[in-house]
Amino acid sequence: MAIAERTGEMRRLDEVFAASRSAGGTVFVVEGPAGTGKTKLIHEFGERVVAAGATFLCATASRAERGFPLSAVGQLFGGPALRTRQLEEAERLLAEGAAAAPRPDPRRPPPASAADGAAVPAEVLRGLSALLLSAADRAPLVIAVDDVHHADPASLQFLHYFVRRAGAAPVLLVLTECVRAAPPHPLLHAELLRGPRVHRRRLRTLTRDGVADVLAERFDPLTVRRLVAECHRATGGNPLLVHALVEDHRTSGGAQPAELVFGEAFRRAVLTCLHRCEAVPYARGLAVLPPCASRPGPGDLVGLDAQAAALTGEVLAATGLTAGPGAGFREAVRAAVLGGMRADRRRTLQLRAAELLHRAGAPAAEVADRLVAADRVPGPWALAVLREASGPLSIAAGRPETIARLRLAVRGRPEGAEGAAVLFDLARAEWQADPERAVRHLPELTAALRAGHLPAHAACRLTAWAVWLGRVDDARELDGAGPAPGMAERRLALAFPGLVPRGAAPVPVDGDTVIGTFAELLTRPALREDDHKAAVAHIEHILGEGVSAPWARAPIAAMTALVALDEVERAEQWCDSLERSDTDRPPLMAALYHVVRALIRGRRGDLTGVVERVRDAFGLVPPGGFGVFAGIPLGALVEALVARGEHAEAGRWLDRPLPDATLHGPFVLPFLRARGTHHLAVGRAATAAAEFRLCGHLMRTWGCDLPGFVPWRTDLARAHLAVGDAEPAARLVREELRRLPDGRARTRAAALRVLAAAVPEERARALADAARAAERAGDRLELARILADLAACHRTERPRRARELARRAGALAAECGAAGIGGDAEPAAGPLGVPASGDGDPFTELSDAERRVASLAADGWTNRQIAKRLHVTTSTVEQHLTRVYRKLNINRRTDLPLDLAGLPPRDYLA
């Protein structure tokens, strides 16, 4: 297979070879950056000239053998070109020449002039030349010396002598030379490569098309198109690096890669290029300290003068390792360079870079990053830099670089108040990434607080942390250490009403906490009574304050409370607004927003969305980091998994331990409900009923009996129905309905559906009311369940209607990701409510606008959602539906046929 983008070079070699057969001794130099295919080119050329009847001799010079005279050219005298007697003569001459020539030190730079460093006796040079010229008498002779820049001076002296003595003999000398940062030996450029019969050809790195040709040898065309741009950018078109990436993919075991794999082959290829172009010291400096005009550069770090540093930068750019002279490494190349260093040397270089930058007045963050990489705090100045680089924790907390800097500062062992302040800063930074990790510092911080090494107001934050993680004893130990004695007990009483003695009323606590705010909202009279508007207004007041306070935690509780009030659209609007105003959130805050989004998705019946959002939250912060609040996301996740029929997975999540204090506060209620739902789904109705009764007991005891938060009466009624006990089920659900204020449409829909099952004589009416409530709430999963029950209700008397409802329920359930709802029964001969005419489209009387509105309404969209989707007013939607009902001879929304002719496919969750 042809070498990519080397056709022109091969053609030129063929031309020079043809000319050398008559012109005599000719030199062809192939030069180029490391890894560009010089060696492969001359070996392929050797195969071609051998096929043409020439004799091909090849030698490879080595830096390791540069100190041995005639070591490079000695390789030419062991091939089939010489007879036995000639080989013996060559061996004698080589030994004599090596003994006479001085042995150079390969560690020293080359001599200043060609006259220095090589003194092979003339008779040796003459004898060796004669032996090779005798081979040229029999056939054209092609001699290749790879990496001639590494050849020892005696070998260079011989090659120079041989070319001059070749005369008209058909001899071609092909040399390869690597573009390097080190200066060449004067014998090479000043003597050997001078003259009219010296030809040069420089190899370049591959173009994007050349990279595509290499990739096409391994991947299909679609994969090549997907990878070629990134591969060319990452390798600079260096063929050695491109082939290394292909090899890394092969060893990774993938069939067709979605992205590039930077593995061991790539790392080795990068280091090989650096060694070949003799740029290792500068490359290490560049990996640690990228160039910048306003500060010391990599040359300063490794002790190179400006000229040498500039030359090396040009060599790296020509090799494709950087984007250009003066540019830094690409990330994958930088990682390979750093990975090729011994750990102790890498840390030493990082520390030297930190000191150099600090003396030059570089920004604290740049100095701190090198200190972290060096894992050293060399003095008080370093501790000050680390703290300064950590920035204001109101912005930087939770970021990995902030945590790394503060951890290193703590390991610097500052003492007294400074040590306590650094540890407190570290805990604050870690808290926003993983509260469980941060709270490990709580005992030491408590001791520092009592010793007066921390300000008294730090007690409030430490107490809030202990409460969040349910560490009651730790919170009580902090009581009295802060500015307000009894503060810890008040926080505990509000968050964990189960710990408060009967008859004691918890005192509200000021502060921006999720736990306290949510507990206060749950026990607020406006939420428990009929004043729905007052409750919403109070919650939105909290949210309004949160817009101007980035990272505020109280809005998380407020949005959760809005969802509990079935104000899903309001909650989503606030979530959108707050996320737009606070885009640079730390992991903990981002995870809490995911939880709110999951609750919103759950109220709309989007089970897949719930599972994805909760798993995203747990991906940012482990479940243990949510402390007692974990009951809410775990409850939502388990409910969704049960509805999807994934009972085993739900059981695994239920087995996760929660802090003991969780059982004494309202955050356990969604978890208990989810556990009961799981028991009910797997046939353990009695156990489920016990869980639901426990929810009811706790909610009544704690003064937060909110059906929108946990509708325990409806759930307990479902458990009674599972064992055929309809009377207590009806009593429970009627009480639930009596307690529901206006505006709780979703909770009302679920309760009416259970009432329909408990009271057969009220079944049709209750289900119709439930369907309307579910539509108002926008809960497609609940609507699917109601439609499935309606289908069962009509199965005997109205089978066509039952089949249509079952199909609609199944379609909605499928889009929600739910299992075991509805079915795929065959449709009736004509759409429900429309006379079956046998021919034609029964919906021809509907206008295009009416068709669009009817289709969305049939799929469970609310009027407000349809208006938003079609960019019209809610009044327009209502008018269209009125005309649709009249034209189709139906009375209500649930009578709409599932399949409306000529409309686009359904998109329930868009």
Side-chain angles (χ1 to χ4, degrees):
M1 184 175 293
I3 310 174
E5 294 189 336
R6 299 294 181 253
T7 305
E9 288 78 4
M10 188 64 76
R11 186 186 308 115
R12 181 60 180 153
L13 275 168
D14 289 340
E15 293 169 355
V16 172
F17 169 63
S20 70
R21 302 180 72 159
S22 58
T26 304
V27 178
F28 192 104
V29 183
V30 180
E31 60 182 355
T36 49
K38 300 181 292 296
T39 300
K40 188 173 183 180
L41 181 69
I42 64 168
H43 280 286
E44 185 169 316
F45 174 65
E47 295 174 1
R48 294 163 72 98
V49 298
V50 169
T55 300
F56 180 71
L57 302 177
C58 185
T60 301
S62 167
R63 181 168 28 183
E65 296 179 344
R66 192 185 295 171
F68 299 94
L70 297 176
S71 59
V73 296
Q75 302 170 48
L76 302 173
F77 295 92
L82 301 181
R83 296 180 173 88
T84 303
R85 185 182 302 173
Q86 290 176 316
L87 290 173
E88 294 173 353
E89 177 66 10
E91 186 175 349
R92 182 188 67 79
L93 290 170
L94 288 169
E96 182 180 338
R103 187 166 183 171
D105 185 352
R107 296 170 296 180
R108 298 182 61 185
S113 68
D116 300 330
V120 181
E123 58 272 19
V124 173
L125 297 175
R126 189 181 310 112
L128 291 174
S129 297
L131 290 173
L132 291 180
L133 289 173
S134 68
D137 292 338
R138 296 188 296 271
L141 178 62
V142 177
I143 296 175
V145 180
D146 196 15
D147 289 341
V148 70
H149 49 280
H150 287 319
D152 58 278
S155 292
L156 293 176
Q157 184 184 3
F158 168 75
L159 292 173
H160 178 233
Y161 181 91
F162 174 71
V163 170
R164 286 192 293 117
R165 293 295 183 273
V171 173
L172 173 61
L173 178 61
V174 182
L175 308 174
T176 70
E177 182 183 13
C178 183
V179 175
R180 302 176 304 143
H185 197 286
L187 271 172
L188 181 61
H189 282 259
E191 301 291 341
L192 179 58
L193 302 184
R194 292 177 61 191
R197 287 184 292 183
V198 175
H199 305 268
R200 290 178 177 272
R201 195 75 172 194
R202 178 145 188 177
L203 300 187
R204 310 282 180 182
T205 53
L206 301 178
T207 64
R208 177 168 167 164
D209 289 341
V211 172
D213 290 341
V214 175
L215 295 178
E217 298 174 10
R218 178 66 178 83
F219 304 124
D220 61 65
L222 181 62
T223 302
V224 172
R225 286 196 297 272
R226 186 170 64 247
L227 297 182
V228 63
E230 175 61 17
C231 185
H232 185 260
R233 190 196 70 80
T235 63
N238 186 294
L240 182 63
L241 300 184
V242 175
H243 283 285
L245 286 179
V246 173
E247 174 64 15
D248 278 331
H249 171 261
R250 187 189 66 79
T251 56
S252 70
Q256 297 300 334
E259 57 186 19
L260 296 176
V261 177
F262 296 94
E264 180 61 22
F266 183 81
R267 187 187 70 84
R268 288 198 309 266
V270 169
L271 298 179
T272 297
C273 287
L274 293 175
H275 282 283
R276 288 181 182 175
C277 65
E278 300 182 30
V280 173
Y282 180 85
R284 290 173 174 174
L286 185 61
V288 170
L289 196 61
C292 179
S294 60
R295 68 180 186 197
D300 302 303
L301 181 59
V302 296
L304 290 178
D305 59 43
Q307 183 178 0
L311 175 61
T312 311
E314 292 174 1
V315 170
L316 292 177
T319 310
L321 294 173
T322 65
F329 283 132
R330 301 175 183 90
E331 185 53 38
V333 175
R334 177 177 179 271
V337 175
L338 292 175
M341 298 174 63
R342 273 177 30 193
D344 58 335
R345 292 182 178 178
R346 185 170 59 244
R347 288 194 292 267
T348 299
L349 198 60
Q350 294 280 11
L351 181 58
R352 192 183 309 159
E355 293 169 342
L356 197 63
L357 290 172
H358 179 63
R359 287 196 298 270
E366 295 185 18
V367 181
D369 288 343
R370 273 73 188 184
L371 290 171
V372 170
D375 198 27
R376 291 277 303 280
V377 184
W381 67 268
L383 183 62
V385 165
L386 289 167
R387 295 196 67 187
E388 180 185 352
S390 300
L393 291 181
S394 58
I395 298 174
R399 295 176 181 172
E401 62 271 20
T402 302
I403 294 171
R405 292 163 185 168
L406 289 170
R407 283 178 182 167
L408 180 60
V410 169
R411 289 202 299 273
R413 299 188 179 280
E415 298 179 351
E418 184 182 24
V422 173
L423 184 62
F424 186 46
D425 286 347
L426 172 60
R428 290 170 61 195
E430 288 182 334
W431 180 265
Q432 292 296 338
D434 183 1
E436 264 194 319
R437 190 179 187 93
V439 83
R440 294 180 307 171
H441 308 298
L442 193 59
E444 192 173 349
L445 289 172
T446 302
L449 184 67
R450 293 193 176 280
H453 292 155
L454 285 176
H457 63 77
C460 298
R461 189 180 296 268
L462 298 179
T463 302
W465 293 352
V467 171
W468 174 268
L469 292 174
R471 300 176 66 139
V472 176
D473 292 340
D474 289 334
R476 284 174 171 158
E477 188 176 344
L478 285 160
D479 214 0
M487 177 266 299
E489 283 296 340
R490 291 197 298 274
R491 284 186 182 273
L492 289 170
L494 184 61
F496 307 117
L499 299 176
V500 179
R502 282 186 173 274
V507 180
V509 179
D510 295 331
D512 174 36
T513 66
V514 176
I515 303 291
T517 303
F518 191 69
E520 189 269 336
L521 288 173
L522 287 181
T523 56
R524 192 172 182 84
L527 268 70
R528 299 197 311 273
E529 298 170 1
D530 293 341
D531 197 350
H532 183 83
K533 291 183 179 180
V536 172
H538 175 69
I539 292 171
E540 292 196 316
H541 173 72
I542 296 173
L543 290 166
E545 293 178 341
V547 172
S548 60
W551 297 12
R553 288 153 290 182
I556 298 293
M559 288 185 289
T560 305
L562 274 181
V563 174
L565 294 181
D566 287 346
E567 291 287 346
V568 178
E569 288 194 11
R570 286 179 188 265
E572 186 171 42
Q573 290 167 2
W574 278 107
C575 196
D576 292 341
S577 174
L578 290 168
E579 283 193 310
R580 282 194 300 269
S581 66
D582 182 18
T583 56
D584 190 20
R585 292 180 301 279
L588 179 58
M589 289 302 299
L592 291 174
Y593 273 98
H594 277 308
V595 172
V596 174
R597 294 284 188 188
L599 298 177
I600 292 171
R601 295 288 183 92
R603 294 291 169 135
R604 288 178 172 158
D606 180 5
L607 303 177
T608 302
V610 174
V611 173
E612 289 176 351
R613 286 290 187 167
V614 175
R615 286 178 174 164
D616 286 345
F618 289 160
L620 290 170
V621 175
F626 284 84
V628 297
F629 187 78
I632 288 183
L634 283 174
L637 177 61
V638 170
E639 290 268 4
L641 291 172
V642 169
R644 283 159 53 122
E646 300 177 29
H647 303 303
E649 178 70 6
R652 283 191 288 271
W653 283 102
L654 287 170
D655 288 339
R656 296 188 66 89
L658 292 173
D660 292 343
T662 310
L663 295 172
H664 300 287
F667 294 99
V668 76
L669 297 171
F671 183 80
L672 292 177
R673 186 202 181 198
R675 196 162 66 185
T677 301
H678 177 253
H679 286 311
L680 192 59
V682 297
R684 296 192 289 265
T687 307
E691 298 281 9
F692 298 142
R693 287 194 188 95
L694 177 58
C695 284
H697 169 73
L698 295 177
M699 293 176 78
R700 291 194 303 267
T701 302
W702 297 340
C704 59
D705 191 359
L706 298 172
F709 181 45
V710 173
W712 66 270
R713 294 178 181 84
T714 300
D715 294 334
L716 183 56
R718 289 192 298 124
H720 279 298
L721 288 174
V723 295
D725 203 352
E727 183 179 349
R731 186 171 62 253
L732 283 164
V733 78
R734 289 186 194 279
E735 183 181 355
E736 191 91 293
L737 288 167
R738 281 195 302 270
R739 296 177 60 85
L740 279 175
D742 294 335
R744 314 288 169 87
R746 178 183 182 273
T747 309
R748 185 176 300 278
L752 286 168
R753 180 172 63 85
V754 176
L755 178 64
V759 186
E761 57 270 21
E762 298 182 21
R763 190 175 188 186
R765 180 185 60 78
L767 287 174
D769 291 344
R772 285 190 287 270
E775 287 172 347
R776 286 198 305 274
D779 186 346
R780 296 176 189 173
L781 178 59
E782 187 59 37
L783 180 59
R785 289 167 173 156
I786 294 165
L787 293 178
D789 288 354
L790 276 170
C793 182
H794 294 305
R795 184 171 293 123
T796 302
E797 298 179 357
R798 304 174 65 185
R800 287 193 305 172
R801 170 66 168 159
R803 285 194 294 270
E804 183 67 27
L805 288 170
R807 287 186 58 199
R808 188 180 303 169
L812 280 172
E815 291 298 334
C816 293
I821 298 176
D824 297 319
E826 288 296 319
L832 184 67
V834 181
S837 58
D839 295 320
D841 180 1
F843 306 110
T844 51
E845 294 185 12
L846 299 183
S847 68
D848 289 343
E850 291 166 352
R851 285 171 180 259
R852 287 193 293 270
V853 170
S855 176
L856 293 172
D859 286 343
W861 293 65
T862 66
N863 289 356
R864 185 180 299 179
Q865 290 170 337
I866 296 172
K868 186 176 180 180
R869 172 68 178 268
L870 300 181
H871 305 289
V872 297
T873 65
T874 305
S875 175
T876 300
V877 173
E878 293 170 351
Q879 294 171 22
H880 282 319
L881 285 176
T882 299
R883 289 193 291 271
V884 168
Y885 294 163
R886 185 177 67 251
K887 291 177 181 181
L888 297 183
N889 191 28
I890 59 178
N891 298 320
R892 60 182 67 85
R893 197 185 199 93
T894 52
D895 291 339
L896 286 168
L898 180 62
D899 296 323
L900 293 169
L903 290 176
R906 291 180 295 273
D907 183 12
Y908 296 100
L909 303 179

